[in-house]
Structures are given as structure tokens and as C-alpha cells.
């Protein structure tokens, strides 16, 4: 089985705040050649590394009402809990270990906050927000919302740990989320010394983010905490070994290979469609959501 090598390892960039609740390091799209096209269909990745927030009982911290069109937002909670509401009627709170998968598609308004419960006590907060691009034919489909609790995420045992299959598949085990194109989203949860072998088609865009601990990929590439490894578009198989108790997010997807026109919260295929998104937003076609 040919080896999929590490193309580069990126350290987290200086954090910035999204609203007042999400202290994030942006990895996609960023410098170092990591464009939306390079990681297609994963067009955006913000990582909130583990950070302690004091209590904020009177006003939960977060991001107010804003629109999205043309893709899906996926939030994975590693510490703390996030509340979400959207104009499509989707909403709820995700706790540590849960995943929120919102298909914005033709357009929603939403807001994202630390949950009320978390805001009362404060505590450690850590999460990933990803944007998964939609195929052109699905960009204007009906919005939907998948609340995926940790208990419903299949877990496949590996040496010294297990793989959570959020989407796609691992060793023939299918994931919990439904997707519009081939997307694999896995959490490897490994004890010290635990090891997993991962295989994806060579042309799938693939990356690894170390959420907890530290790992070695293919026996040679050290990937420390909060670092991101971009895997090469060659070879199919790689190994991840934990040098201490670790959690690793693994993403791999078939590139859509369609034109990307992106502006702020809208990701479409042409500039005309972006203009149309702004017009529709101003005309109130994204629905109504109270601040
Ligand atoms: Mn959003």
C-alpha cells in the first residue's frame, strides 16, 4: 500500500476573535498555499484552541445574527458547549464531544453563542468550525440541520484507542452525518502509544489537526499540539501514533473541482451568484431571526 506523506506541518497562527466568544486560529484559507482550492471541499477552518473563559452570566459570549449561503458549517465541540439558532428553525446546544452540522445551502441566518449553562460557570472552551463546500447543483437546495450527539457517532476500535466516524467511513463503518459529496471526518482518540492506520484515495484533499496531545505520522513526522498537517495528494495510507494521550481530527474529501467565488459569508461558483446573495439577503429572503 503506497504511503501518503506529510506535505507540510503548520503551527497555529496568532489567534483573533470572532464575535467575543470564539478565539480562533485560522488554518484554511491561509497563507502557505493553503487556499480554498487546495483543501476543497473544506474551504474554511477556524480552530479555537483550548482557552479558559471566565463566567459571563448576563450575556453569553458569541457571534450575533449573520447569513450564510452555498455551503455547510460544521462545529465540533471538544471542550465547553455551544448554542446555535437559525432562521430555518434549526437550533440547540452541543456539548463536549457533539457535532453540529448546518447545511446553509440556499441561505439561513444564524447566531452562535456559548451555551447559557457554560456562560454561568465559565470554563475551558475548545472547538473547530469548518465550512464544507456544496456541489454547484446543491448550493440552492433547502437548508437543513443535523444535531449529532456523541452517543450517536460510531466508534471503531484501533490499537490503544478508537476512531469516531463523524462522516464518511472508517474500515467500512459509516459515519453519523449525511453529506452531499464524499467527505470523511474522523476523530482519532488514542491513549499514549495508541496507533491508527488511515487510508483515503490519493487525490482526496486530506489534513490532520492535533486537538490534544502529540502524534507522529508515518513514524517520522512529529505533529505537536494545535498543529496542522497537510497530507500530500499521493499515496493512500498513513499511520498516526500518539506519543501521549491524544485527540486528532482527520479530514479527507473528494475535491469538487468547481469554480469558487467567495465573499464573506457566501461561497458560490460565480461573481453574479455572490451579487445575487447580497441582494437576496437585503430583500430578507434568508428569513427572520431575532438577535
Ligand atoms: Mn456562522
Amino acid at each position: 500500500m503506497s504511503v501518503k506523506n506529510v506535505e507540510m506541518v503548520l503551527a497555529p497562527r496568532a489567534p483573533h476573535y470572532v464575535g467575543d466568544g470564539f478565539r480562533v486560529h485560522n488554518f484554511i484559507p491561509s497563507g502557505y498555499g493553503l487556499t480554498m482550492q487546495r483543501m476543497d471541499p473544506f474551504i474554511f477552518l477556524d480552530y479555537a484552541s483550548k482557552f479558559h473563559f471566565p463566567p459571563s452570566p448576563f450575556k453569553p459570549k458569541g457571534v450575533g445574527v449573520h447569513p450564510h449561503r452555498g455551503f455547510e458549517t460544521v462545529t465540533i465541540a471538544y471542550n465547553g458547549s455551544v448554542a446555535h439558532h437559525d432562521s430555518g428553525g434549526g437550533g440547540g446546544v452541543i456539548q463536549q464531544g457533539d457535532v453540529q452540522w448546518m447545511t446553509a445551502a440556499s441561505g439561513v441566518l444564524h447566531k452562535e453563542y456559548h451555551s447559557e449553562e457554560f456562560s454561568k460557570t465559565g470554563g475551558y472552551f475548545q472547538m473547530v468550525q469548518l465550512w464544507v463546500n456544496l456541489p454547484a447543483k446543491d448550493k440552492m437546495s433547502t437548508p437543513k440541520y443535523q444535531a449529532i450527539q456523541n452517543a450517536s457517532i460510531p466508534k471503531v476500535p484501533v490499537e490503544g484507542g478508537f476512531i469516531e466516524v463523524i462522516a464518511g467511513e472508517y474500515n467500512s463503518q459509516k459515519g453519523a452525518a449525511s453529506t452531499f459529496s464524499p467527505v470523511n471526518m474522523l476523530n482519532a482518540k488514542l491513549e499514549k502509544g495508541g496507533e491508527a492506520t488511515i487510508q483515503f484515495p490519493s487525490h482526496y484533499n486530506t489534513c490532520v489537526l492535533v486537538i490534544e496531545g502529540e502524534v507522529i505520522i508515518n513514524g517520522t513526522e512529529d505533529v505537536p499540539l494545535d498543529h496542522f498537517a497537510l497530507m500530500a495528494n499521493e499515496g493512500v495510507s498513513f499511520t498516526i501514533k500518539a506519543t501521549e494521550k491524544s485527540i486528532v481530527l482527520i479530514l479527507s474529501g473528494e475535491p469538487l473541482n468547481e469554480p469558487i467565488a467567495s465573499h464573506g459569508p457566501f461561497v458560490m461558483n460565480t461573481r453574479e451568484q455572490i451579487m445575487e446573495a447580497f441582494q437576496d439577503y437585503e430583500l430578507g429572503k434568508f428569513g427572520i431571526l431575532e438577535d
Side-chain angles (χ1 to χ4, degrees), residues 11-63:
R13 305 205 300 182
H16 68 276
Y17 271 87
V18 177
D20 63 359
F22 301 97
R23 178 187 173 274
V24 300
H25 313 269
N26 173 252
F27 280 107
I28 307 168
S30 66
Y32 320 110
L34 248 166
T35 59
M36 286 184 164
Q37 284 81 5
R38 175 63 185 85
M39 276 309 297
D40 176 27
F42 307 105
I43 49 176
F44 178 92
L45 191 159
D46 262 354
Y47 170 51
S49 59
K50 191 173 176 182
F51 184 77
H52 191 274
F53 283 87
S56 181
F58 304 110
K59 189 177 183 301
K61 293 178 185 294
V63 192

Short mmCIF file of all heavy atoms in Angstrom, two decimals, residues 11-63:
data_model
loop_
_atom_site.label_atom_id
_atom_site.label_comp_id
_atom_site.label_asym_id
_atom_site.label_seq_id
_atom_site.Cartn_x
_atom_site.Cartn_y
_atom_site.Cartn_z
N ALA A 11 2.22 25.53 12.22
CA ALA A 11 1.96 25.97 13.59
C ALA A 11 0.72 26.87 13.57
O ALA A 11 0.42 27.49 12.55
CB ALA A 11 3.16 26.74 14.12
N PRO A 12 -0.01 26.94 14.69
CA PRO A 12 -1.18 27.83 14.72
C PRO A 12 -0.74 29.29 14.60
O PRO A 12 0.26 29.68 15.19
CB PRO A 12 -1.79 27.55 16.10
CG PRO A 12 -0.68 27.00 16.92
CD PRO A 12 0.22 26.27 15.96
N ARG A 13 -1.48 30.06 13.82
CA ARG A 13 -1.18 31.49 13.72
C ARG A 13 -1.72 32.20 14.96
O ARG A 13 -2.49 31.64 15.73
CB ARG A 13 -1.83 32.07 12.47
CG ARG A 13 -1.40 31.29 11.24
CD ARG A 13 -1.50 32.08 9.99
NE ARG A 13 -2.83 32.53 9.68
CZ ARG A 13 -3.10 33.22 8.57
NH1 ARG A 13 -2.14 33.54 7.73
NH2 ARG A 13 -4.33 33.60 8.32
N ALA A 14 -1.33 33.47 15.15
CA ALA A 14 -1.83 34.25 16.29
C ALA A 14 -3.36 34.23 16.27
O ALA A 14 -3.97 34.35 15.21
CB ALA A 14 -1.32 35.68 16.18
N PRO A 15 -3.99 34.05 17.44
CA PRO A 15 -5.45 33.97 17.46
C PRO A 15 -6.10 35.33 17.23
O PRO A 15 -5.51 36.37 17.51
CB PRO A 15 -5.76 33.47 18.86
CG PRO A 15 -4.60 33.89 19.69
CD PRO A 15 -3.40 33.89 18.77
N HIS A 16 -7.34 35.31 16.72
CA HIS A 16 -8.17 36.51 16.67
C HIS A 16 -9.57 36.12 17.14
O HIS A 16 -9.90 34.92 17.21
CB HIS A 16 -8.21 37.10 15.26
CG HIS A 16 -8.92 36.25 14.26
ND1 HIS A 16 -8.30 35.21 13.59
CD2 HIS A 16 -10.20 36.25 13.81
CE1 HIS A 16 -9.17 34.63 12.78
NE2 HIS A 16 -10.33 35.23 12.90
N TYR A 17 -10.36 37.12 17.47
CA TYR A 17 -11.71 36.84 17.97
C TYR A 17 -12.75 36.94 16.86
O TYR A 17 -12.74 37.88 16.07
CB TYR A 17 -12.08 37.81 19.10
CG TYR A 17 -11.65 37.29 20.46
CD1 TYR A 17 -10.38 37.53 20.94
CD2 TYR A 17 -12.52 36.51 21.23
CE1 TYR A 17 -9.97 37.04 22.17
CE2 TYR A 17 -12.12 36.01 22.46
CZ TYR A 17 -10.85 36.28 22.93
OH TYR A 17 -10.46 35.78 24.14
N VAL A 18 -13.66 35.96 16.82
CA VAL A 18 -14.86 36.04 16.00
C VAL A 18 -15.98 36.33 16.99
O VAL A 18 -16.23 35.53 17.90
CB VAL A 18 -15.12 34.72 15.24
CG1 VAL A 18 -16.42 34.80 14.45
CG2 VAL A 18 -13.94 34.42 14.32
N GLY A 19 -16.65 37.50 16.85
CA GLY A 19 -17.53 37.96 17.91
C GLY A 19 -16.69 38.13 19.17
O GLY A 19 -15.49 38.44 19.09
N ASP A 20 -17.30 37.89 20.35
CA ASP A 20 -16.50 37.97 21.57
C ASP A 20 -16.32 36.60 22.24
O ASP A 20 -15.79 36.51 23.34
CB ASP A 20 -17.10 38.99 22.56
CG ASP A 20 -18.50 38.60 23.04
OD1 ASP A 20 -19.01 37.54 22.59
OD2 ASP A 20 -19.09 39.35 23.82
N GLY A 21 -16.74 35.52 21.53
CA GLY A 21 -16.73 34.21 22.17
C GLY A 21 -15.83 33.18 21.53
O GLY A 21 -15.60 32.11 22.09
N PHE A 22 -15.34 33.48 20.33
CA PHE A 22 -14.58 32.45 19.61
C PHE A 22 -13.17 32.97 19.32
O PHE A 22 -12.97 33.81 18.46
CB PHE A 22 -15.32 32.03 18.34
CG PHE A 22 -16.70 31.51 18.62
CD1 PHE A 22 -17.83 32.32 18.52
CD2 PHE A 22 -16.88 30.20 19.08
CE1 PHE A 22 -19.09 31.85 18.83
CE2 PHE A 22 -18.15 29.72 19.38
CZ PHE A 22 -19.26 30.55 19.27
N ARG A 23 -12.23 32.48 20.11
CA ARG A 23 -10.83 32.88 19.97
C ARG A 23 -10.15 31.84 19.10
O ARG A 23 -9.86 30.74 19.55
CB ARG A 23 -10.19 32.93 21.37
CG ARG A 23 -8.73 33.30 21.41
CD ARG A 23 -8.23 33.12 22.84
NE ARG A 23 -6.80 33.28 22.96
CZ ARG A 23 -5.92 32.30 22.76
NH1 ARG A 23 -6.34 31.09 22.44
NH2 ARG A 23 -4.63 32.54 22.91
N VAL A 24 -9.94 32.19 17.83
CA VAL A 24 -9.59 31.16 16.85
C VAL A 24 -8.27 31.42 16.13
O VAL A 24 -7.85 32.56 15.95
CB VAL A 24 -10.71 31.01 15.79
CG1 VAL A 24 -12.02 30.60 16.47
CG2 VAL A 24 -10.90 32.27 14.96
N HIS A 25 -7.67 30.32 15.72
CA HIS A 25 -6.54 30.33 14.81
C HIS A 25 -7.09 29.89 13.46
O HIS A 25 -7.69 28.81 13.37
CB HIS A 25 -5.48 29.31 15.23
CG HIS A 25 -5.13 29.38 16.70
ND1 HIS A 25 -4.13 30.16 17.19
CD2 HIS A 25 -5.69 28.76 17.78
CE1 HIS A 25 -4.05 30.02 18.51
NE2 HIS A 25 -5.00 29.17 18.89
N ASN A 26 -6.90 30.70 12.44
CA ASN A 26 -7.38 30.30 11.11
C ASN A 26 -6.33 29.45 10.40
O ASN A 26 -5.16 29.81 10.36
CB ASN A 26 -7.70 31.56 10.30
CG ASN A 26 -8.04 31.22 8.87
OD1 ASN A 26 -7.25 31.48 7.97
ND2 ASN A 26 -9.19 30.61 8.67
N PHE A 27 -6.77 28.32 9.87
CA PHE A 27 -5.86 27.48 9.08
C PHE A 27 -6.21 27.46 7.59
O PHE A 27 -5.34 27.39 6.75
CB PHE A 27 -5.84 26.04 9.61
CG PHE A 27 -4.96 25.85 10.83
CD1 PHE A 27 -5.52 25.65 12.08
CD2 PHE A 27 -3.58 25.86 10.71
CE1 PHE A 27 -4.71 25.47 13.20
CE2 PHE A 27 -2.77 25.68 11.83
CZ PHE A 27 -3.33 25.49 13.07
N ILE A 28 -7.53 27.47 7.28
CA ILE A 28 -7.97 27.45 5.87
C ILE A 28 -8.98 28.58 5.69
O ILE A 28 -9.92 28.65 6.48
CB ILE A 28 -8.68 26.14 5.49
CG1 ILE A 28 -7.82 24.91 5.87
CG2 ILE A 28 -9.05 26.10 4.01
CD1 ILE A 28 -8.62 23.60 5.78
N PRO A 29 -8.92 29.44 4.67
CA PRO A 29 -7.78 29.57 3.77
C PRO A 29 -6.75 30.49 4.41
O PRO A 29 -7.11 31.51 4.95
CB PRO A 29 -8.40 30.24 2.53
CG PRO A 29 -9.53 31.06 3.09
CD PRO A 29 -9.99 30.38 4.35
N SER A 30 -5.52 30.11 4.37
CA SER A 30 -4.49 30.95 4.98
C SER A 30 -3.32 31.02 4.03
O SER A 30 -3.40 30.60 2.89
CB SER A 30 -4.08 30.36 6.32
OG SER A 30 -3.43 29.14 6.13
N GLY A 31 -2.25 31.54 4.50
CA GLY A 31 -1.05 31.58 3.68
C GLY A 31 -0.50 30.18 3.47
O GLY A 31 -1.23 29.20 3.58
N TYR A 32 0.74 30.08 3.15
CA TYR A 32 1.43 28.80 2.96
C TYR A 32 0.80 27.97 1.85
O TYR A 32 0.91 26.75 1.86
CB TYR A 32 1.43 27.96 4.25
CG TYR A 32 1.65 28.72 5.53
CD1 TYR A 32 0.62 28.88 6.43
CD2 TYR A 32 2.91 29.27 5.83
CE1 TYR A 32 0.81 29.58 7.62
CE2 TYR A 32 3.09 29.97 7.00
CZ TYR A 32 2.06 30.12 7.90
OH TYR A 32 2.23 30.79 9.06
N GLY A 33 0.05 28.61 0.92
CA GLY A 33 -0.54 27.84 -0.17
C GLY A 33 -1.78 27.07 0.21
O GLY A 33 -2.32 26.32 -0.59
N LEU A 34 -2.27 27.27 1.42
CA LEU A 34 -3.46 26.54 1.85
C LEU A 34 -4.72 27.32 1.44
O LEU A 34 -5.40 27.90 2.28
CB LEU A 34 -3.43 26.34 3.36
CG LEU A 34 -3.25 24.90 3.77
CD1 LEU A 34 -2.91 24.80 5.22
CD2 LEU A 34 -4.50 24.08 3.48
N THR A 35 -5.00 27.31 0.16
CA THR A 35 -6.16 28.03 -0.37
C THR A 35 -7.42 27.18 -0.23
O THR A 35 -7.35 25.99 0.10
CB THR A 35 -5.95 28.29 -1.87
OG1 THR A 35 -5.78 27.01 -2.51
CG2 THR A 35 -4.71 29.14 -2.12
N MET A 36 -8.58 27.82 -0.51
CA MET A 36 -9.83 27.06 -0.55
C MET A 36 -9.73 25.91 -1.56
O MET A 36 -10.18 24.81 -1.28
CB MET A 36 -10.98 27.98 -0.94
CG MET A 36 -11.41 28.93 0.17
SD MET A 36 -12.86 29.90 -0.34
CE MET A 36 -13.43 30.51 1.26
N GLN A 37 -9.11 26.18 -2.72
CA GLN A 37 -9.00 25.14 -3.75
C GLN A 37 -8.12 23.98 -3.27
O GLN A 37 -8.43 22.83 -3.55
CB GLN A 37 -8.40 25.73 -5.04
CG GLN A 37 -9.37 26.56 -5.86
CD GLN A 37 -9.51 28.00 -5.32
OE1 GLN A 37 -8.81 28.42 -4.39
NE2 GLN A 37 -10.43 28.75 -5.90
N ARG A 38 -7.05 24.29 -2.54
CA ARG A 38 -6.13 23.22 -2.12
C ARG A 38 -6.80 22.23 -1.18
O ARG A 38 -6.48 21.05 -1.18
CB ARG A 38 -4.86 23.83 -1.47
CG ARG A 38 -3.88 22.79 -0.90
CD ARG A 38 -3.31 21.87 -1.98
NE ARG A 38 -2.46 20.81 -1.41
CZ ARG A 38 -2.91 19.65 -0.94
NH1 ARG A 38 -4.21 19.37 -0.95
NH2 ARG A 38 -2.07 18.76 -0.47
N MET A 39 -7.73 22.74 -0.33
CA MET A 39 -8.38 21.83 0.62
C MET A 39 -9.82 21.49 0.24
O MET A 39 -10.52 20.82 0.99
CB MET A 39 -8.32 22.41 2.04
CG MET A 39 -7.02 22.15 2.77
SD MET A 39 -6.50 20.41 2.77
CE MET A 39 -7.85 19.65 3.67
N ASP A 40 -10.29 22.00 -0.90
CA ASP A 40 -11.61 21.71 -1.44
C ASP A 40 -11.98 20.24 -1.19
O ASP A 40 -11.17 19.37 -1.52
CB ASP A 40 -11.52 22.02 -2.95
CG ASP A 40 -12.76 21.69 -3.76
OD1 ASP A 40 -13.86 21.72 -3.18
OD2 ASP A 40 -12.62 21.41 -4.96
N PRO A 41 -13.13 19.90 -0.60
CA PRO A 41 -14.28 20.77 -0.29
C PRO A 41 -14.24 21.42 1.10
O PRO A 41 -15.25 21.99 1.50
CB PRO A 41 -15.45 19.77 -0.36
CG PRO A 41 -14.86 18.52 0.22
CD PRO A 41 -13.42 18.49 -0.26
N PHE A 42 -13.11 21.35 1.82
CA PHE A 42 -13.01 22.02 3.12
C PHE A 42 -12.47 23.42 2.85
O PHE A 42 -11.27 23.60 2.64
CB PHE A 42 -12.09 21.25 4.06
CG PHE A 42 -12.45 19.79 4.19
CD1 PHE A 42 -11.70 18.81 3.58
CD2 PHE A 42 -13.58 19.41 4.91
CE1 PHE A 42 -12.04 17.47 3.67
CE2 PHE A 42 -13.93 18.07 5.02
CZ PHE A 42 -13.16 17.10 4.39
N ILE A 43 -13.36 24.40 2.81
CA ILE A 43 -12.97 25.71 2.29
C ILE A 43 -12.61 26.70 3.39
O ILE A 43 -12.13 27.79 3.10
CB ILE A 43 -14.07 26.28 1.38
CG1 ILE A 43 -15.44 26.17 2.07
CG2 ILE A 43 -14.08 25.56 0.04
CD1 ILE A 43 -16.57 26.79 1.27
N PHE A 44 -12.86 26.32 4.63
CA PHE A 44 -12.59 27.23 5.75
C PHE A 44 -12.44 26.39 7.01
O PHE A 44 -13.23 25.47 7.24
CB PHE A 44 -13.77 28.20 5.87
CG PHE A 44 -13.69 29.19 6.99
CD1 PHE A 44 -13.13 30.44 6.80
CD2 PHE A 44 -14.21 28.88 8.25
CE1 PHE A 44 -13.08 31.37 7.84
CE2 PHE A 44 -14.15 29.80 9.30
CZ PHE A 44 -13.59 31.04 9.08
N LEU A 45 -11.42 26.72 7.81
CA LEU A 45 -11.26 26.03 9.10
C LEU A 45 -10.74 27.03 10.13
O LEU A 45 -9.65 27.59 9.97
CB LEU A 45 -10.30 24.84 8.99
CG LEU A 45 -10.27 23.87 10.21
CD1 LEU A 45 -9.73 22.51 9.79
CD2 LEU A 45 -9.47 24.40 11.38
N ASP A 46 -11.55 27.29 11.12
CA ASP A 46 -11.14 28.08 12.28
C ASP A 46 -11.03 27.13 13.46
O ASP A 46 -11.95 26.33 13.71
CB ASP A 46 -12.20 29.14 12.63
CG ASP A 46 -11.86 30.52 12.08
OD1 ASP A 46 -10.76 30.71 11.51
OD2 ASP A 46 -12.71 31.41 12.22
N TYR A 47 -9.93 27.23 14.19
CA TYR A 47 -9.71 26.34 15.34
C TYR A 47 -9.60 27.18 16.61
O TYR A 47 -8.70 28.01 16.74
CB TYR A 47 -8.42 25.54 15.12
CG TYR A 47 -7.94 24.77 16.33
CD1 TYR A 47 -8.80 23.92 17.03
CD2 TYR A 47 -6.63 24.87 16.76
CE1 TYR A 47 -8.36 23.22 18.15
CE2 TYR A 47 -6.17 24.16 17.87
CZ TYR A 47 -7.05 23.34 18.56
OH TYR A 47 -6.62 22.65 19.65
N ALA A 48 -10.54 26.99 17.52
CA ALA A 48 -10.47 27.62 18.83
C ALA A 48 -9.69 26.68 19.73
O ALA A 48 -10.23 25.67 20.21
CB ALA A 48 -11.87 27.87 19.39
N SER A 49 -8.40 26.98 19.95
CA SER A 49 -7.60 26.13 20.83
C SER A 49 -8.10 26.28 22.26
O SER A 49 -8.81 27.23 22.59
CB SER A 49 -6.11 26.49 20.72
OG SER A 49 -5.91 27.84 21.07
N LYS A 50 -7.74 25.31 23.10
CA LYS A 50 -8.25 25.26 24.47
C LYS A 50 -7.91 26.56 25.21
O LYS A 50 -6.74 26.95 25.28
CB LYS A 50 -7.63 24.06 25.19
CG LYS A 50 -8.27 23.73 26.52
CD LYS A 50 -7.69 22.43 27.06
CE LYS A 50 -8.22 22.11 28.44
NZ LYS A 50 -7.60 20.88 28.96
N PHE A 51 -8.94 27.22 25.72
CA PHE A 51 -8.77 28.55 26.33
C PHE A 51 -9.80 28.70 27.43
O PHE A 51 -10.95 28.30 27.28
CB PHE A 51 -8.98 29.61 25.24
CG PHE A 51 -8.74 31.02 25.70
CD1 PHE A 51 -7.44 31.49 25.85
CD2 PHE A 51 -9.80 31.89 25.97
CE1 PHE A 51 -7.20 32.80 26.26
CE2 PHE A 51 -9.57 33.20 26.39
CZ PHE A 51 -8.27 33.65 26.54
N HIS A 52 -9.37 29.29 28.54
CA HIS A 52 -10.28 29.42 29.69
C HIS A 52 -11.03 30.74 29.64
O HIS A 52 -10.43 31.81 29.59
CB HIS A 52 -9.52 29.30 31.01
CG HIS A 52 -10.43 29.17 32.18
ND1 HIS A 52 -10.97 30.26 32.83
CD2 HIS A 52 -10.95 28.07 32.79
CE1 HIS A 52 -11.76 29.82 33.81
NE2 HIS A 52 -11.76 28.50 33.80
N PHE A 53 -12.37 30.67 29.64
CA PHE A 53 -13.21 31.87 29.70
C PHE A 53 -13.76 32.03 31.11
O PHE A 53 -14.26 31.05 31.70
CB PHE A 53 -14.39 31.76 28.72
CG PHE A 53 -14.02 32.01 27.30
CD1 PHE A 53 -13.55 30.99 26.50
CD2 PHE A 53 -14.13 33.28 26.75
CE1 PHE A 53 -13.19 31.21 25.17
CE2 PHE A 53 -13.77 33.52 25.43
CZ PHE A 53 -13.30 32.49 24.63
N PRO A 54 -13.73 33.24 31.67
CA PRO A 54 -14.37 33.48 32.96
C PRO A 54 -15.89 33.43 32.79
O PRO A 54 -16.38 33.48 31.65
CB PRO A 54 -13.91 34.89 33.33
CG PRO A 54 -13.59 35.54 32.03
CD PRO A 54 -13.14 34.45 31.10
N PRO A 55 -16.66 33.36 33.90
CA PRO A 55 -18.12 33.38 33.77
C PRO A 55 -18.58 34.66 33.07
O PRO A 55 -17.96 35.71 33.21
CB PRO A 55 -18.60 33.35 35.22
CG PRO A 55 -17.45 32.85 36.02
CD PRO A 55 -16.21 33.27 35.29
N SER A 56 -19.68 34.55 32.33
CA SER A 56 -20.30 35.71 31.67
C SER A 56 -21.81 35.54 31.76
O SER A 56 -22.50 35.36 30.76
CB SER A 56 -19.83 35.78 30.21
OG SER A 56 -20.39 36.89 29.56
N PRO A 57 -22.35 35.51 33.02
CA PRO A 57 -23.71 35.02 33.24
C PRO A 57 -24.81 35.90 32.64
O PRO A 57 -25.90 35.41 32.37
CB PRO A 57 -23.83 34.97 34.77
CG PRO A 57 -22.79 35.92 35.27
CD PRO A 57 -21.68 35.89 34.27
N PHE A 58 -24.54 37.18 32.43
CA PHE A 58 -25.64 38.06 31.98
C PHE A 58 -25.73 38.17 30.47
O PHE A 58 -26.75 38.53 29.93
CB PHE A 58 -25.48 39.45 32.63
CG PHE A 58 -25.43 39.36 34.13
CD1 PHE A 58 -24.26 39.62 34.82
CD2 PHE A 58 -26.56 38.94 34.85
CE1 PHE A 58 -24.21 39.49 36.19
CE2 PHE A 58 -26.52 38.82 36.22
CZ PHE A 58 -25.34 39.09 36.91
N LYS A 59 -24.62 37.84 29.81
CA LYS A 59 -24.64 37.92 28.34
C LYS A 59 -23.69 36.88 27.79
O LYS A 59 -22.47 37.08 27.78
CB LYS A 59 -24.22 39.33 27.89
CG LYS A 59 -24.44 39.56 26.41
CD LYS A 59 -24.08 40.98 26.01
CE LYS A 59 -24.36 41.23 24.54
NZ LYS A 59 -23.63 40.32 23.63
N PRO A 60 -24.24 35.74 27.34
CA PRO A 60 -23.37 34.71 26.76
C PRO A 60 -22.53 35.28 25.62
O PRO A 60 -23.03 36.05 24.79
CB PRO A 60 -24.35 33.66 26.25
CG PRO A 60 -25.57 33.84 27.09
CD PRO A 60 -25.65 35.33 27.36
N LYS A 61 -21.26 34.90 25.57
CA LYS A 61 -20.37 35.40 24.52
C LYS A 61 -20.59 34.62 23.23
O LYS A 61 -20.91 33.44 23.25
CB LYS A 61 -18.91 35.23 24.97
CG LYS A 61 -18.53 36.13 26.15
CD LYS A 61 -17.09 35.87 26.57
CE LYS A 61 -16.70 36.67 27.81
NZ LYS A 61 -16.69 38.12 27.60
N GLY A 62 -20.40 35.31 22.12
CA GLY A 62 -20.58 34.60 20.85
C GLY A 62 -20.62 35.55 19.67
O GLY A 62 -20.03 36.61 19.69
N VAL A 63 -21.34 35.11 18.63
CA VAL A 63 -21.48 35.88 17.39
C VAL A 63 -22.95 36.08 17.12
O VAL A 63 -23.73 35.12 17.14
CB VAL A 63 -20.89 35.11 16.19
CG1 VAL A 63 -20.77 36.04 14.98
CG2 VAL A 63 -19.55 34.51 16.50
#
